[in-house]
Every structure is written in structure tokens, then in C-alpha cells.
Amino acid sequence: MKTARIMAAIVLVLAGAAALGAHYLAPAGYEQQFRMSPDAPPSTQHLLGTDDLGRDRMARLLYGTRVSLFLAPIAAGIATILAAFFGGMAGYFGGWVERCALLFVDLFLSIPWLFLLITVRAVLPLNISPQNSVIITFLLLGFLGWAASARVICAGTKELMKSEFVWLARASGFSGFKLIRLHLMPNLRGTLLAQFWISVPVFIITEANLGALGLGVTEPLPSLGSLLGELQSVIVLRPHPWQFLPLVILIVVVSCFQTLLNSSEVRT
Amino acid sequence: MKRLLWISVLLFLAVPLFAQSGGELRFSIYSEPKTFHPLRTEEISSDTIRYLTSGVLLRLDRITQKAEPELATSWKVLDGGKRIRFTLRQGVHFSDGTPFSAADVAYTVQQLMDPDLHSTTGDAFRSGSGKVVTRVVSPGEIEIIFAAPVAGLAELFDTVAMLSAQSPQKEMAVAGPFYVAEHRAGSYILLKKNPYYWKKDSAGRQLPYLDSIRLDIQQNDEIQALRYSRGEIHLINRVAPGIFDKLAAQGTAVQDVGVSTDTEFLWFNQVANAPIADYKRAWFASANFRRAVSEAINRDDLARVAFHQHASPAVGIVSPVNRFWFNSKLVRHPYDPASALRRLQQDGFHLDNGVLRDKTGHEVEFAITARAGDEARQQMAAMIQQDLKKIGVKVNIAPVEMSALIERITTSFNYEACLAGHTRVTLDPNAQMNIWLSSADTHQWNPAQKSPATPWEAEIDKLMRAQASSSDERERKKYWDRVQEIAWEQEPFIYLVNKHTLVAIAPSIKNAQPSTLYPQAFWNVEHLSLNH
Amino acid sequence: MWRTLGLALLRLAGIMLLAGLLGGTLIRVAPGFAADERQLDSNLSSQSIQAVRQARLSDSNIPRFYAGYLASLVRGDLGTSQMLNQPIRDLLRERLPITLRNLALAVLLAWVMGLALAAATQLTGSRLLTSTAEGLSGTFISTPAAVLALVFVLLRLPPELAAALLVFPKIYRYCHNLLRQGYDRPHVLTALAKGAGRWRVLVWHVAPVSLPQMLALLGVSISLAIGVLLPIEAICDVSGIGQLAWQAATGRDLPLLVNLTLVVTFLTASATMFSDLARKTMTRSEV
């Protein structure tokens, strides 16, 4: 497993370096349109071919990876922190605090947030840059994507509050934030890490789906999600193998995250 | 020679014999039809059902673009378009056996002109205030009298479905080749052959040849294409360009019928009280600015790349396929970035380190709004963005969800430029009254003006009213040609491309004659047959 | 028990009422509420366009609309869809059973796959199995729902299986982490050290510790599955409420959207309520 973790770290560092060094690895850039060769197969000039508008796929993949891999973990972190806050608070205090918090969580899970997102788009200026648009989208996802996990964390917190070591800690004078930080959160690590790991690819994909509402990345900036979205129009009728590369990249990155986030296995 | 003549006649008569009857035609519609009432159709799905089931007094032949008799054997337009007299076909019945007569025509007109109807069909006949009156001249003749002349009157009846005044089935009793037999919500609509359909082929055989038509509700273009390639459906009425090429590469039967009347265009917001910066409003109001943007856009590339060569650069308002009404003196705007820059310089714009600035120093930057999720338009916007970058203009692309987009361009006017299109454009210019009249709600760049904001819009108003009140086609053409010239000079709409009609028709379908006019693949549905 | 059940039902009704009102408010304030595609139709006269717009604004006062809706609801009338001109009760009666069936199957399959894989990786400790499970869960969580749905149409596979494959990674991840956390407990380490069998340790020591969170996850997995199933239904043209929901959202069909919000709230809240009750019952019985 140690080898696996090292390998995963190397892959992530390489992916990150490639994404950051996109300008050097793909000097054509993500927006230049080679209009005489749209939808071209891989060649020496375009290692992964070109898309429907003749843009270099390699460049778009590198820049798209940069956008998504930088922003999605931040959004996932926000969602995890919010889930920990609401779920932890509900489980810690119990009683009416728990009831109100869980009521809020259930409402949050049921409301059609689609219309809030449409409203947000309307409020944003029309001339917002693609970079700012995608940042705002990921932030929104972070603030809206925490509710499912909060319940699980609440249940975990309640169980921990009944455990002997927490009783001992409380008897020793630990309470409030210190108790949460030193005794509760570490024992909820598994749930929190699960939330984080799930959120990264889900947010990447959701950002692309929000393109139907006018949010997310806008032309010409690519994101991993928007490149994945292109698969929809090719998957049914003769897709080319290189069109699956964004999916492969995401699977590899997500698997590497998973390997790194796992704590050591128990071996007997 | 005589022998050759006899062989030709025999062959002509034999064609219907080879057309095997029976079978179920299958194709898809995009959504659940909102209504089955043929006079209230709002969208393509309900309009498709209307077309397949309704009997009309006359039908526009989609190939010759001429009106042909249907439930009326002849008609005469009188008083410059204020009256029209129809001689009705005898022995016709609705799908439930109820006989068709002049009373049904009168009833249909009464329903059509109901002020609460609010349908495109009814509004097309509202030429002035005042009632529309019907007069039964004889059992087989009826005259309809309008309050004011209606331009292109006869052809408008192509979309007016005859309703039965007597049938207990009300609007579900139809006089067309099929009737609605079954409807499973969200799944399909089954149409069956109308046993009382009046039409016969040249050999005297009862039409339609088909037993039934099954319309599956299918939103996804890719799945529709997959089902077509598997043989689960027989035709696709409108194929997206990218999918067309893939189907063609597979060897599946598809056809580029040619240039259609559909257009794609860009316009700038010229509404006086729109919430945009004054300096931007000044740019958009300048014809030089609009012409410069037009000259900086490479239409050949748009047609070739965004539409996979299944579009043609547009000239102006009217597509060349509209043979009579197209102003053939007009030529397409050239792609000439250098000329575009010269025009802009006339208005005080200048390049500053590759960035175009106006005379007050503002960087020329604006947002193009387009419907989110519309792949072709997003691609066009991306190409226009790159083209305008070459003359120093920064374009931001702002995809907006459909309902929010409608609100922006019709109510709040909170947009700068918009990329959109006209589809199912009818041939007669009168259908575009509400686009070109400055007081109209769909005068997109500056709707509902109390008085024309510019002299050229005032001239267009005069010309449109003149063509609407004339019954002389040559005179109307003269007026419409001049409107096209003004639109070409001023470019309130920067016309980009005319899309081609792309259809997929399985080889098992016989007698298909796809047209560039709606409904492209099945306009002659009563003559279609399936080869078993 | 009756008191608990009564309070739970009251809570459910309260959540549904609130969700309907908040959802309706969001729909109303979102731009495009009064917009209709017919406003762009140049074949319509100005009067017709104004009439279309006025018709859309008829439900613009949300409190009044909602009060009227609730009054009708008591009589069993769910209103009429503005978009489809059909009674919503009929629409739901035709489509809801299909979605409920698909939802139940998707959740069941997702749990069977997720829990079985999580338990198997802990029981066997096999690196190959763990890598395979993580690879599968990584693959399916990275695949867009639309892409998987299209692949399933291509392969003629049932759409509920696609939904299950998209939900199972989440179940697997949580269960895997919870079970592993359970194995880290001192009493479990002691039991293993004393030679207790892995099955016995899993069933009697690890599972009970993880159960409360898993029960909470069970409640939440309904909501996760709905979120995945509705777009799959829309793409695969299954005549469930997924197709209806997307059309209603794009058409701003307020009566239909409010009803669909209530349906989703009912499913989500009753699932979480059930899991809460189960959790309370089981943890009480352990003490």
C-alpha cells in the first residue's frame, strides 16, 4: 500500500505539473481554431487530434484539467467543512438543535436548487470572464453540495458522544470546540474523507451539467467536465478512442485521490 | 414513337401498383404534444400531429411551392384579398363518418377568429379590426369576407385544419389521412389510417397507403439516430449536422436536400432604455459598426465548421430557396477584416496594441447571449469570438437558459448581442410583418416602438404596410425587394447562414420526396408506402 | 410508539409544506418565470403575445397560489399542468409508479453492490479485490450520468442498473470507510488478536458500531438515487417523472414543479425519517 500511495502521489504531481505547464506542453493554446482541420485524428501537429472547431485536444485537456483539478477540491473542501459543521453541531448538541438542523438538512435536500442557480446566473454580469464564471460555479457547488453527508456525520457524532472515551474526555473537562476538534472530528475522519472524495468528481461533472443553465465554464475556456460532456454527442455513434481520454484522466486522478486519502489498512 | 408513349403511360399508371399498401411508419417527435386541437398548435410536436391528421382546403406543394386543391377543388381571391370564395369537394367525410360541408368551413372560421384563441394560425388572418364573416353561396360554395385585405390569403389556408361542426368527437374528428387512435403520455402517439379519407391515387386506390404511423417521444438526438441506424424508426425529419455525417459514414441512408429557409443571425440591442452602457448603445446604433462586425465574420467557416458544410452563407432576410421572393440582386457581405477596420475608423474607433477602442477610449467589448445547451450556436459564438478578436474586439459568450433568455430579450432587455435563428420560415413576406414593423413585439433589436426610431425603420414600416395591402404579387415583390435592400444595408440582423435541410429516410420508404420546407420528410405522407 | 409515529408524520407534513412553499418561491423569483417561447413567434399578434404573457403571470403571487393549491389538494385536486394541459394527478398516476419502481431497484442494487464490496474488501483484506473495487467505484463516480445512460441505451440495458452503478460508488466509499474505522476500534483489535474469526468480528463487533451511520446513509441514498435517476429517465425516455421534471423546469410549469417538489420531499424526508427511527430503535435495544 505504501508503494501504491507513492505511485498515486507521483501521478497526481505529474498531472498537476502537466496542467500547470500547459502553456509549454501545448503552445497552440486552448482557443486557437485550426479551421481547416476540424475533428481531425491524432497527428504530429495535434497529438490528440482536434475537436469540432479545430482546437487542439491536448491543449484543451491540459487547461481543462488545470481548471477542474484546482477548483473541484476547494469546492469539495467547502462542502466537507459545512457537512462537518451542521452534522457535528446537530449530533453534539442533540435535542431541539439536532431536530432543527436535520429539518434544515432535509429541506435542503428537497428544494429545487436549479432555480437558485438560474437566479445566480441572472445576477452575474453578462461580461463575466470564463475564469470567474467557473470559480463562482464551483463555490456554489461547494455551498450546495454538503447536505447528504451532514446526516451521516450527525449519526456518527451521536454515537461518538455515547462512547467511553468521549465520556472520559468530558469528565476530564473537555467540552465544546476542543472536544469536537480533538476527539470527535478525528473519529469521523472516514466519513469526512468519503464526503471529500465523492465530491471531487461529482462537482467536476456537475459543473459541466450547469452549462445548460449558463453557469460553469464558458467558451473558449475548457474544463474537464465540459470535455466529458462532449462524450454525450459521440458515445452512441462511432466514438473515437482519443475522445475518452478526459474520462480516463478523471478516473485516474480520482483513484489516486482515493489511494492517498485512505488511512493505513489493518492487517492481521 | 406511339409504342414509347404507351409504355410511358403504362409506367406512370403502374407506379401506384408497385406502391405496396400497409405497414406502420415510425418516427420520433421531440416532446409531448401540448394540444391535439389543430387550431391551437404551439410547438412542432402538436403541429406535426395537426399536419398528419387534418384536412385543409388547399395544400402547398412543398416541391413546386404552388397551392394545390384539397378539400376545396378551386378558389378565387376577390377584392384585392378581402374576400375568398371556395368551391368545396363533394362526398367528403370526417374520420367518424360525419359529412363535410360549407357549414364546417364556417364553423372553423368562427373558431379561428375567436379573439381568445391566440394562435399563429388565427393571427395570420387578422388584417384589421372588425369581424370576419362567412357566407354560404351554395351547398358546395362558401365565401369568407375579412375586415381588411389579407396578403397571400390563399396560401394561409394551408395550415387551417377543418373542424366538424356536428361531430360529437369535436376537434378529434379529422378529415386528413390519419386520426389519433392512441396516446400514451410520455411514450408515443399512434395514428391510424382514416377510413373515410377522400383522396385516391391515380389508379383509383384508396390513400393513404400506410396503415398507421407511430410517433415516439424522443428528446435525445443521439438516441434517435441510434434507433434509426438500427431500423427501429424509419425517418428523422431534421438531422443535426454532426449526426448526419456520422450516419453517412456508417452507410445509413441520409440526404442533404439543400438550402432551407431557416436562418441564423446575430443582432445588437438597440432598445433606448436598455440597461447597458451608453457608449455601448451608441456602438450598436451605428450601421457602420454593425456592417464592420458583419464583414469581420467568416461565414464560409461558419457553414463549413459549425454546420459541417451543411449550411450556406446567408445573403439577407430571405433564403435563395424562396425562389420568387428572394431579391437576386443582393450579394452576400464579404469577409474582409481590413474593410471592417476601415469602417470602424470612420466612426472614430482605433486599434491600440491590438485592442480596439472607441473615440472615448473604451475598449470594445460586448457579450453575445445565446441559448445554453444549443451546441451549434455555442460553436458559432466561439467562432465569431475568434473572428472578432482579429480586429481587436473582445467578445464574451454568455449562454443563458431558454426562459431566462426570452425574458432578457423581450422584457428586461438586459443583453448586448444575441445569437438566434428563424425556423420554419414561411415563403410569403407577410408572415414577417411582426419582425419588420417597428411597433411589433418581435421587432427584436428594438421592439414595440411608439414611433420608428430611425428613418430606415420608418421606410420599412411603409413598405411592409404597402405589400400587405396589395394583391398584385409583382407590386408586393417590389416592396419586399426594397425591404431586403434596406435590411442588407443597415444590418439590424447580421444574417450568418442558411441551414440545409438534412433528413434521414430509410430505403424501405417509397415515394419519399423530401423538401426544404416543413414538414421536410413526410409532407406527402398520404403517398408514402413501406416496402415490406 | 404511537406518539413517536404521530410526531414523525407531523414533521413530514411540515417539511413538505415548507419545501413546497420555498420551492415555489424559488421558481417564481428565478428569471424567466413569465417567459413563454411563443413570445418569440413572429406569427403571433401583439395582443396574443400580451395574452400569453398575462396567462403566465396569473400564478405570480406565490402565497395566494400556494394557499389555493393546498385548498385544492385537500379535495384531491393537484391542479393542471400549464405545459401539457393535463391534470397533474393523472400525470403522476401514470408516471410515478415507474419512477418508484426504478428508484427502489436502483437503491437496492446500489446497496447490494456497495455493501458487499465494502464488506468483502474488509473480510478478505485482498489488495486485488480492494484495487478492483476502488477502480470500479472510481470509474463509475467519474462517469457522467448522461454518458452512462446513453451507453445503456446502446447496449439495451435497463436504466435502473445505470442509476445503481452511479450510486454504488458513494455507498461503497462510505461503507468501506465506516467498516475500516470500525476495525480500528480497540475492542475489535483485541477480538482479532484473540483469534476471533473475521466474519464474527464483522457481524458482532464492527457492523453494530457502523450501523447508525449506515442507517443514516440509507436514508440519504434515496435522495442521491433520485438525483441520478431523474436525468437518466429523461435521457432514456423512460415515462417516469424524470422526463416530466426536466420539461417542467425548462417550461417553468409552476403547478407541476410544486407537485414534483412535494413528491421528492416526501420520498427524501420519509426515507430519512425511517432511517432515524430504525437507528433509534436499534441503538436503544443495544443499550
Side-chain angles (χ1 to χ4, degrees):
Chain A
M1 282 312 278
K2 195 177 173 187
T3 319
R5 245 179 259 125
I6 292 170
M7 294 290 300
I10 291 172
V11 167
L12 281 177
V13 164
L14 282 174
L20 284 171
H23 183 70
Y24 302 101
L25 292 170
Y30 60 82
E31 58 180 319
Q32 190 178 353
Q33 296 167 3
F34 297 91
R35 293 182 183 177
M36 295 316 291
S37 47
D39 204 22
S43 62
T44 45
Q45 198 188 359
H46 304 288
L47 291 178
L48 294 178
T50 59
D51 69 0
D52 284 345
L53 292 184
R55 297 176 297 198
D56 185 75
R57 279 191 195 276
M58 168 83 122
R60 289 183 69 76
L61 184 60
L62 289 171
Y63 280 96
T65 306
R66 180 204 285 186
V67 166
S68 299
L69 287 194
F70 179 64
L71 293 173
I74 294 175
I78 293 172
T80 306
I81 290 168
L82 285 172
F85 174 74
F86 281 101
M89 192 183 63
Y92 178 79
F93 288 108
W96 67 268
V97 174
E98 180 192 352
R99 283 194 288 275
C100 288
L102 293 183
L103 179 80
F104 179 65
V105 166
D106 284 346
L107 266 178
F108 209 90
L109 285 171
S110 310
I111 288 171
W113 291 113
L114 177 79
F115 297 98
L116 173 70
L117 296 171
I118 293 173
T119 308
V120 166
R121 182 61 192 96
V123 165
L124 292 175
L126 280 175
N127 283 300
I128 189 170
S129 69
Q131 290 83 356
N132 288 343
S133 173
V134 75
I135 289 170
I136 289 169
T137 303
F138 273 108
L139 284 176
L140 274 173
L141 289 174
F143 282 109
L144 295 177
W146 55 270
S149 182
R151 270 194 158 268
V152 181
I153 290 168
C154 174
T157 307
K158 281 180 75 76
E159 284 310 300
L160 284 173
M161 290 298 286
K162 289 187 270 185
S163 62
E164 285 175 6
F165 69 91
V166 170
W167 276 98
L168 184 60
R170 290 172 83 178
S172 306
F174 283 89
S175 66
F177 183 68
K178 211 167 179 180
L179 181 71
I180 293 170
R181 187 171 61 86
L182 291 174
H183 296 282
L184 295 177
M185 286 300 130
N187 286 287
L188 291 169
R189 195 181 61 221
T191 312
L192 293 172
L193 288 176
Q195 160 75 11
F196 181 83
W197 177 83
I198 286 165
S199 298
V200 169
V202 166
F203 287 171
I204 288 174
I205 292 167
T206 309
E207 174 268 317
N209 291 339
L210 292 180
L213 304 178
L215 283 167
V217 84
T218 57
E219 290 285 352
L221 187 67
S223 69
L224 207 50
S226 66
L227 295 174
L228 282 171
E230 287 173 14
L231 269 180
Q232 274 185 59
S233 52
V234 300
I235 193 85
V236 167
L237 303 166
R238 289 163 63 110
H240 300 300
W242 52 88
Q243 289 170 321
F244 287 91
L245 204 51
L247 181 61
V248 170
I249 298 283
L250 184 59
I251 291 170
V252 165
V253 164
V254 160
S255 302
C256 290
F257 261 121
Q258 185 171 246
T259 307
L260 280 181
L261 291 173
N262 284 346
S263 51
S264 53
E265 294 278 342
V266 176
R267 289 278 171 262
T268 52
Chain B
M1 186 63 198
K2 224 184 201 177
R3 200 182 297 175
L4 203 59
L5 185 64
W6 273 110
I7 289 169
S8 307
V9 167
L10 280 168
L11 273 174
F12 174 71
L13 290 173
V15 161
L17 291 174
F18 287 123
Q20 299 188 27
S21 62
E24 181 174 270
L25 179 71
R26 291 178 161 225
F27 62 97
S28 301
I29 51 177
Y30 280 103
S31 62
E32 187 78 35
K34 291 185 183 179
T35 179
F36 287 102
H37 195 305
L39 297 184
R40 293 175 191 271
T41 61
E42 292 172 14
E43 37 31 280
I44 284 191
S45 296
S46 37
D47 207 50
T48 298
I49 291 167
R50 175 199 61 78
Y51 187 90
L52 293 169
T53 59
S54 300
V56 291
L57 293 174
L58 56 90
R59 172 84 73 207
L60 201 66
D61 184 303
R62 267 51 174 177
I63 303 294
T64 62
Q65 298 181 12
K66 295 264 182 288
E68 300 289 339
E70 288 274 313
L71 296 180
T73 53
S74 65
W75 57 90
K76 201 167 178 162
V77 177
L78 304 159
D79 278 353
K82 205 172 164 199
R83 291 190 291 142
I84 184 165
R85 185 178 293 182
F86 289 100
T87 305
L88 302 178
R89 193 177 298 276
Q90 299 302 302
V92 176
H93 292 82
F94 286 92
S95 53
D96 63 346
T98 320
F100 166 70
S101 70
D104 299 310
V105 179
Y107 173 72
T108 303
V109 171
Q110 183 201 24
Q111 294 294 303
L112 190 67
M113 304 319 298
D114 181 351
D116 293 332
L117 183 63
H118 302 304
S119 80
T120 55
T121 321
D123 283 358
F125 287 97
R126 286 182 223 282
S127 53
S129 55
K131 287 189 79 170
V132 176
V133 175
T134 52
R135 188 169 73 89
V136 178
V137 175
S138 69
E141 261 191 309
I142 185 165
E143 192 169 289
I144 306 169
I145 305 147
F146 296 91
V150 179
L153 178 58
E155 285 75 18
L156 289 175
F157 283 90
D158 172 77
T159 55
V160 180
M162 290 295 116
L163 301 178
S164 172
Q166 300 167 58
S167 168
Q169 290 184 14
K170 297 192 190 304
E171 70 270 6
M172 299 308 285
V174 293
F178 299 91
Y179 68 94
V180 177
E182 211 176 301
H183 170 214
R184 186 135 170 254
S187 188
Y188 67 87
I189 294 119
L190 183 66
L191 309 178
K192 284 192 175 159
K193 180 178 190 158
N194 177 0
Y196 292 97
Y197 189 50
W198 60 271
K199 206 183 266 191
K200 291 179 165 52
D201 66 12
S202 52
R205 287 176 61 207
Q206 182 70 44
L207 291 174
Y209 294 127
L210 296 165
D211 286 331
S212 56
I213 298 177
R214 183 177 152 126
L215 302 170
D216 291 325
I217 296 167
Q218 179 56 262
Q219 288 180 1
N220 191 286
D221 282 344
E222 282 79 28
I223 295 179
Q224 198 180 177
L226 175 69
R227 294 188 66 210
Y228 176 73
S229 61
R230 283 180 178 164
E232 290 169 17
I233 56 175
H234 295 106
L235 66 87
I236 305 176
N237 199 45
R238 280 171 55 186
V239 185
I243 290 176
F244 182 95
D245 288 347
K246 292 195 167 75
L247 286 174
Q250 283 180 355
T252 322
V254 286
Q255 201 176 337
D256 181 340
V257 184
V259 178
S260 72
T261 53
D262 293 356
T263 57
E264 293 288 312
F265 52 85
L266 173 74
W267 80 85
F268 290 100
N269 186 354
Q270 296 184 54
V271 175
N273 56 355
I276 56 176
D278 287 339
Y279 62 87
K280 289 193 181 182
R281 197 175 299 116
W283 302 342
F284 304 154
S286 158
N288 254 350
F289 180 86
R290 298 191 300 268
R291 290 286 295 267
V293 167
S294 173
E295 284 176 0
I297 295 173
N298 191 330
R299 288 169 174 77
D300 285 310
D301 278 359
L302 287 179
R304 189 171 48 77
V305 177
F307 291 92
H308 302 251
Q309 299 181 316
H310 298 298
S312 301
V315 175
I317 303 172
V318 180
S319 165
V321 77
N322 189 347
R323 296 186 285 271
F324 180 76
W325 295 106
F326 173 63
N327 184 344
S328 52
K329 290 201 195 95
L330 298 175
V331 294
R332 32 177 292 213
H333 290 281
Y335 169 57
D336 192 344
S339 169
L341 273 170
R342 283 195 297 274
R343 277 188 190 278
L344 288 165
Q345 276 157 8
Q346 286 171 21
D347 273 7
F349 291 90
H350 61 279
L351 274 175
D352 175 17
N353 276 334
V355 173
L356 190 73
R357 294 184 184 277
D358 68 4
K359 54 190 172 204
T360 54
H362 292 107
E363 181 184 336
V364 179
E365 179 183 355
F366 59 85
I368 292 181
T369 309
R371 183 176 148 195
D374 186 327
E375 200 186 309
R377 289 215 179 112
Q378 296 303 319
Q379 287 185 344
M380 284 173 65
M383 293 179 74
I384 292 170
Q385 185 183 48
Q386 289 300 298
D387 285 343
L388 294 182
K389 193 177 175 185
K390 291 177 191 158
I391 59 167
V393 175
K394 186 176 176 200
V395 171
N396 300 305
I397 296 168
V400 178
E401 181 267 334
M402 186 61 176
S403 295
L405 177 63
I406 294 171
E407 184 168 294
R408 278 181 189 268
I409 63 178
T410 61
T411 314
S412 67
F413 304 114
N414 185 3
Y415 72 99
E416 294 175 348
C418 187
L419 192 57
H422 281 145
T423 56
R424 295 201 293 155
V425 178
T426 45
L427 302 175
D428 195 289
N430 207 50
Q432 297 198 38
M433 274 296 272
N434 289 335
I435 296 175
W436 296 103
L437 275 185
S438 59
S439 55
D441 285 327
T442 45
H443 186 72
Q444 233 73 64
W445 66 91
N446 188 1
Q449 296 175 37
K450 290 194 171 47
S451 62
T454 59
W456 58 269
E457 283 172 288
E459 190 182 349
I460 289 181
D461 281 358
K462 271 201 214 102
L463 290 163
M464 289 305 293
R465 290 199 174 97
Q467 69 80 31
S469 55
S470 168
S471 58
D472 181 345
E473 274 205 341
R474 276 173 305 181
E475 193 179 35
R476 292 182 67 212
K477 175 148 168 72
K478 205 177 69 185
Y479 295 135
W480 185 231
D481 275 356
R482 180 62 192 135
V483 171
Q484 291 177 66
E485 278 165 24
I486 297 171
W488 189 94
E489 283 155 16
Q490 297 293 331
E491 292 209 83
F493 287 135
I494 298 172
Y495 287 96
L496 299 170
V497 297
N498 292 123
K499 297 193 284 194
H500 288 191
T501 296
L502 306 176
V503 298
I505 301 177
S508 56
I509 295 181
K510 297 300 163 202
N511 303 331
Q513 288 182 282
S515 160
T516 55
L517 302 176
Y518 173 82
Q520 294 82 349
F522 58 88
W523 68 273
N524 61 336
V525 65
E526 66 272 24
H527 291 283
L528 297 181
S529 65
L530 275 174
N531 202 4
H532 298 297
Chain C
M1 192 191 82
W2 288 111
R3 184 171 173 269
T4 310
L5 197 62
L7 284 171
L9 287 172
L10 206 63
R11 181 178 178 277
L12 179 63
I15 291 178
M16 286 174 70
L17 280 172
L18 257 178
L21 182 61
L22 286 172
T25 306
L26 266 180
I27 295 162
R28 172 64 188 92
V29 302
F33 175 74
D36 189 305
E37 276 197 54
R38 287 177 290 168
Q39 288 174 266
L40 300 179
D41 192 340
S42 54
N43 292 312
L44 281 178
S45 67
S46 179
Q47 290 85 348
S48 294
I49 289 177
Q50 293 309 316
V52 161
R53 191 164 161 70
Q54 283 310 308
R56 297 288 301 189
L57 286 170
S58 61
D59 289 331
S60 60
N61 186 319
I62 282 295
R64 189 161 24 157
F65 163 79
Y66 202 54
Y69 168 75
L70 291 174
S72 309
L73 188 63
V74 166
R75 295 193 306 270
D77 177 11
L78 301 181
T80 305
S81 162
Q82 288 170 346
M83 207 175 53
L84 300 174
N85 296 317
Q86 290 178 44
I88 294 173
R89 186 175 54 190
D90 294 344
L91 286 170
L92 291 180
R93 196 184 317 134
E94 284 164 3
R95 293 168 182 257
L96 198 51
I98 296 170
T99 298
L100 288 177
R101 176 198 163 272
N102 291 340
L103 184 66
L105 280 172
V107 170
L108 182 66
L109 284 169
W111 269 96
V112 164
M113 286 190 281
L115 193 54
L117 272 176
T121 53
Q122 293 307 313
L123 278 174
T124 62
S126 160
R127 279 197 190 140
L128 178 62
L129 184 62
T130 305
S131 305
T132 308
E134 312 245 297
L136 279 175
S137 68
T139 300
F140 285 109
I141 205 167
S142 307
T143 305
V147 171
L148 194 65
L150 288 170
V151 169
F152 269 59
V153 170
L154 188 62
L155 300 175
R156 297 185 214 251
L157 293 170
E160 55 270 23
L161 181 57
L165 286 173
L166 291 170
V167 174
F168 111 81
K170 298 164 190 173
I171 310 288
Y172 165 76
R173 188 76 260 155
Y174 274 113
C175 290
H176 176 90
N177 286 11
L178 288 171
L179 291 178
R180 191 155 62 188
Q181 242 174 244
Y183 271 99
D184 283 343
R185 297 283 180 113
H187 69 283
V188 172
L189 291 172
T190 307
L192 285 168
K194 286 186 173 177
R198 292 192 80 88
W199 267 109
R200 187 183 174 83
V201 166
L202 178 68
V203 172
W204 292 108
H205 300 284
V206 175
V209 161
S210 313
L211 191 62
Q213 292 188 69
M214 282 199 198
L215 285 171
L217 181 63
L218 176 65
V220 155
S221 62
I222 306 287
S223 167
L224 295 173
I226 290 172
V228 153
L229 187 62
L230 295 192
I232 287 177
E233 281 192 347
I235 289 165
C236 298
D237 281 315
V238 173
S239 330
I241 63 171
Q243 214 185 48
L244 206 58
W246 183 245
Q247 281 185 295
T250 50
R252 302 288 199 279
D253 190 335
L254 181 63
L256 186 50
L257 283 168
V258 167
N259 277 285
L260 289 174
T261 302
L262 290 179
V263 166
V264 169
T265 309
F266 174 77
L267 291 172
T268 306
S270 45
T272 55
M273 186 179 78
F274 167 77
S275 75
D276 282 347
L277 280 172
R279 186 168 51 82
K280 279 175 190 158
T281 309
M282 287 185 182
T283 51
R284 223 187 344 255
S285 64
E286 278 172 25
V287 173

